[in-house]
Amino acid sequence: MLGNLLKRLLHRSPATTSHAARGAGAADCGWLNEALRLQQAGRHREVVAICRSALAREADDTDALNLLAAALCAQGESREGITCLRRVTQLVPHSAEAHDNLATVLAATGDPNGAIESYRHAVRLHPELAAAWNSLASLLKTLSRYDEAEECCRSGLRADPRHAGLHRTLSGALFEQGRVDEAIAAARTALALYPDAPAAHSDLVRMLNYADAQDPPAVYREHRVWAERHARPLEEAAAAHRNDPDPTRRLRVGFVSPYFRKHAMTFFFESVVEHHHREKMEIFLYADVAQPDEYSERLKAYGAAWRRTVGMSDEQLAQRVRNDGIDILVDLSGHTPYNRLLAFARRPAPVQVTWNGYPNTTGMAGMDYRITDAYCDPPGTTEHLHSEKLARLPRIYMAWRPPREAPDPGPLPALESGRITFASFNSCFKITPALVALWSRIVDQVPGSRLMLLTINGSSAERRILNLFAANGIEPGRLEILPRMTHEEFLTAHRRVDIALDAFPYHGTTTTCFSLWMGLPVVVLAGATHVSRVGVSMLSNIGLPQLIAQNGDAYVAIATRLAADLSGLASMRAGLRGRMLQSPVTDGRSGARALENAFREMWADWCQRQTRR
């Protein structure tokens, strides 16, 4: 965000140029031209000195104030930079651009409320300023204020209907409200306006995984289109590798993610770093993590080499990987936000793998393998939907680390309340109309039952959910919609639930593990591809295949059968945590060994191909 501001301030606008500078001759602007040249060269300290000299001569020179702010922010001295920008807004109070610049820095330096106020001031002054509308909407979306974000997008699009960024931001806001089909349509519009935007294109292919009526071959083709458009030119230009093709030597394995912190991905990753064979494998973490936390520090403590990649371009990241001599590079994001697939497209490592963070193919020829298991991708069923070769681990494709702070499950709530409480702890964008129809049948067939739902963000999303249930004959009184809550409150909420209902077509992963850990049987509906088979893997691995339905009628039947057997539910609740601890789902040591063995086979295959050349 600050980088965009710096570029903006290097291009002066008449609206924010001082009266003195506008009236000055070319000779008087020599300092300004020199400051601009130095700023473009990244010589910020020299710019600061020149601007201070200019301000000593003319204290209200807005050019000097803007450039000084840019140079100070580039050096991390944002507080004084903000002071300069506030002064500019006082000198040219009717400049929407000045308020927009101030808002950008406030947002980037941790003052979202101040940024929102300044952005709103900018668009009041200049309602046609589509970029400011987009910045405001993006900030509101980041703060989970999705209704307001949508409203800002629509205001901006009235000013500029062809603003690709606004269509993309609108798509994200609609998606978070659970309006997946509308979000996909907005994403397609954004991409049509700006087809060379890989991140926006990734948004589209990711959202397709959540669509109610899925066509897996069509979804695969969309992934391939992404790869052909954005990755293939880079793949074709990649240089050869000079790694030593010794199949027995110690491997250098790199993992790439923006989420090496408290995040769902880390719950399934930490055990790999903790239990890796240090004498056989050296781990590097390429971390787009601006603010490391206790989870980050734990990963470092296990002996992983931490490579901070914040601010690096994809090209710079790829070069860093090559410089580190990485043998196997692992993507942990797929097409999720902030991914680094275009670094992988540059082929920085001989063997490249995708795992953990995304339940589908990348579509890339330069991604050699995708880690999975035989439950998520039964052999012979989904190979044609992947650009990668599927590498199936023996039991489960990743192991989950239980939370240290989780409370005990407690007794079955229905024994005290006299009624069954169902719940889904999945995000609202996983709640499709077809799924609501199934849940409504369950609630209707279990007298007195209610359904608890979580993460319904904003009034529009809540209205959508209530309307979907009302259309299926379920009154609002049968539903409990929980507000946003802390992680600790989230875990405690499970103590009020008897049975968890998984989402479809996009299964829960972390949410399913938490529900099982808190003693809740999870009813899942099996689909045809990985995205709708994660629950199949988890329940099969803990020995509860009877909770897996093969069709909608069976899904309803399993849930209602569980609800009719309170003693069976109480017994299952009491034993689920122990069952998980004895299963591959939480066996991090075995999971790390299985992954290492897969890496070793991949490496041996690469080495063999080198010797045949």
Side-chain angles (χ1 to χ4, degrees):
M1 193 173 284
L2 280 176
N4 292 334
L5 173 73
L6 300 183
K7 292 177 184 177
R8 189 185 309 161
L9 292 180
L10 290 174
H11 296 82
R12 293 177 294 139
S13 164
T16 56
T17 300
S18 66
H19 175 77
R22 289 199 302 271
D28 296 327
C29 290
W31 72 268
L32 180 56
N33 294 329
E34 178 65 4
L36 287 167
R37 184 184 69 79
L38 292 170
Q39 187 79 298
Q40 289 170 330
R43 295 162 64 177
H44 306 299
R45 292 187 181 279
E46 295 170 73
V47 174
V48 169
I50 289 176
C51 290
R52 290 197 193 284
S53 295
L55 289 169
R57 296 189 298 272
E58 173 56 63
D60 292 342
D61 190 317
T62 56
D63 283 325
L65 287 167
N66 276 326
L67 284 169
L68 177 59
L72 290 168
C73 289
Q75 296 179 148
E77 301 173 45
S78 56
R79 180 174 297 182
E80 187 180 353
I82 289 170
T83 299
C84 293
L85 293 173
R86 288 195 188 281
R87 179 59 180 156
V88 173
T89 62
Q90 294 168 354
L91 292 169
V92 283
H94 299 298
S95 168
E97 183 181 358
H99 290 281
D100 185 27
N101 290 340
L102 173 61
T104 299
V105 177
L106 292 174
T109 54
D111 183 5
N113 292 329
I116 290 170
E117 180 182 352
S118 292
Y119 279 133
R120 290 198 184 281
H121 197 154
V123 295
R124 280 197 299 270
L125 289 168
H126 189 182
E128 305 301 305
L129 195 59
W133 280 115
N134 190 42
S135 296
L136 174 57
S138 297
L139 177 57
L140 290 167
K141 183 167 74 71
T142 300
L143 298 172
S144 302
R145 294 163 62 173
Y146 303 117
D147 292 355
E148 294 174 77
E150 179 187 355
E151 181 182 350
C152 287
C153 287
R154 298 200 184 283
S155 295
L157 287 170
R158 283 193 287 273
D160 183 358
R162 295 184 58 78
H163 193 286
L166 278 165
H167 284 286
R168 184 188 177 194
T169 305
L170 175 61
S171 173
L174 294 171
F175 180 77
E176 293 291 345
Q177 294 173 25
R179 295 153 66 183
V180 175
D181 290 342
E182 293 177 69
I184 290 172
R188 290 194 186 281
T189 300
L191 198 60
L193 291 168
Y194 189 12
D196 295 326
H201 204 166
S202 280
D203 288 347
L204 171 62
V205 297
R206 175 177 56 91
M207 290 175 185
L208 292 175
N209 292 293
Y210 297 84
D212 208 350
Q214 283 193 20
D215 178 9
V219 175
Y220 172 63
R221 287 193 295 273
E222 291 276 9
H223 284 76
R224 292 292 293 154
V225 169
W226 182 94
E228 285 292 311
R229 181 176 297 170
H230 308 292
R232 184 176 178 182
L234 298 170
E235 292 168 342
E236 291 176 344
H241 300 97
R242 300 182 180 275
N243 302 58
D244 178 12
D246 178 356
T248 62
R249 68 174 173 82
R250 189 185 190 208
L251 295 178
R252 296 166 73 85
V253 180
F255 295 87
V256 182
S257 176
Y259 301 122
F260 293 127
R261 52 180 174 79
K262 188 175 184 179
H263 185 271
M265 185 282 297
T266 307
F267 295 147
F268 294 93
F269 177 72
E270 183 178 352
S271 59
V272 171
V273 187
E274 179 183 10
H275 296 297
H276 77 281
H277 267 140
R278 287 162 178 78
E279 68 279 9
K280 295 182 179 181
M281 189 172 79
E282 185 178 4
I283 286 182
F284 294 74
L285 304 181
Y286 296 92
D288 276 338
V289 180
Q291 296 180 323
D293 60 10
E294 60 178 302
Y295 285 76
S296 311
E297 297 307 317
R298 287 214 302 261
L299 292 173
K300 296 177 188 179
Y302 296 136
W306 185 270
R307 298 287 191 260
R308 188 176 188 272
T309 59
V310 176
M312 282 189 184
S313 67
D314 291 320
E315 183 176 3
Q316 289 170 329
L317 171 57
Q319 189 57 53
R320 183 60 188 270
V321 170
R322 280 187 178 268
N323 293 345
D324 284 336
I326 297 300
D327 301 307
I328 299 175
L329 190 66
V330 186
D331 158 58
L332 298 173
S333 300
H335 284 282
T336 59
Y338 314 112
N339 71 73
R340 290 295 202 140
L341 291 180
L342 293 186
F344 283 80
R346 290 170 165 84
R347 265 288 184 185
V351 178
Q352 301 195 148
V353 184
T354 185
W355 173 61
N356 184 315
Y358 185 66
N360 210 330
T361 183
T362 62
M364 296 169 56
M367 196 70 74
D368 303 300
Y369 297 92
R370 182 168 174 275
I371 301 289
T372 184
D373 62 40
Y375 295 106
C376 290
D377 289 281
T381 64
T382 60
E383 282 83 353
H384 64 293
L385 301 175
H386 289 84
S387 60
E388 309 87 358
K389 180 178 180 180
L390 295 179
R392 295 178 178 86
L393 300 191
R395 297 190 294 180
I396 193 168
Y397 73 106
M398 58 185 185
W400 178 71
R401 163 150 298 186
R404 299 174 179 178
E405 71 279 10
D408 66 87
L412 186 73
L415 293 176
E416 180 178 347
S417 66
R419 65 181 180 188
I420 289 290
T421 299
F422 297 100
S424 170
F425 292 101
N426 290 283
S427 298
C428 69
F429 43 75
K430 293 185 179 181
I431 302 177
T432 69
L435 185 62
V436 169
L438 289 177
W439 286 350
S440 298
R441 288 172 57 189
I442 293 169
V443 172
D444 183 59
Q445 292 181 30
V446 180
S449 65
R450 62 175 183 165
L451 174 61
M452 181 187 294
L453 299 171
L454 184 64
T455 61
I456 307 300
N457 300 312
S459 58
S460 294
E462 185 169 336
R463 284 196 303 273
R464 169 184 169 270
I465 294 296
L466 293 175
N467 289 339
L468 284 173
F469 277 100
N472 286 277
I474 302 300
E475 298 176 353
R478 303 289 297 277
L479 305 173
E480 180 182 0
I481 297 179
L482 300 177
R484 294 183 68 85
M485 55 183 62
T486 66
H487 184 65
E488 291 69 26
E489 292 169 336
F490 162 74
L491 291 173
T492 301
H494 287 74
R495 291 168 58 93
R496 299 195 288 117
V497 179
D498 302 291
I499 301 169
L501 303 174
D502 196 15
F504 186 87
Y506 201 119
H507 279 191
T509 305
T510 312
T511 51
T512 297
C513 287
F514 279 126
S515 291
L516 293 169
W517 188 250
M518 293 303 298
L520 278 59
V522 181
V523 184
V524 306
L525 175 55
T529 59
H530 188 116
V531 69
S532 58
R533 296 189 62 83
V534 175
V536 176
S537 182
M538 291 179 178
L539 291 177
S540 298
N541 274 285
I542 66 172
L544 289 175
Q546 65 269 31
L547 299 182
I548 303 169
Q550 301 302 321
N551 55 59
D553 289 341
Y555 182 85
V556 173
I558 291 170
T560 55
R561 185 169 62 247
L562 286 171
D565 182 10
L566 295 189
S567 62
L569 271 179
S571 176
M572 187 176 293
R573 188 184 192 91
L576 261 175
R577 187 169 291 187
R579 183 186 286 268
M580 285 195 76
L581 286 172
Q582 296 170 15
S583 78
V585 174
T586 61
D587 188 351
R589 185 178 299 275
S590 294
R593 293 290 86 78
L595 190 63
E596 287 179 359
N597 290 339
F599 288 160
R600 184 60 66 178
E601 290 179 10
M602 296 171 189
W603 180 248
D605 182 67
W606 183 81
C607 292
Q608 187 176 33
R609 283 186 278 116
Q610 306 317 299
T611 59
R612 289 199 299 259
R613 289 182 177 179

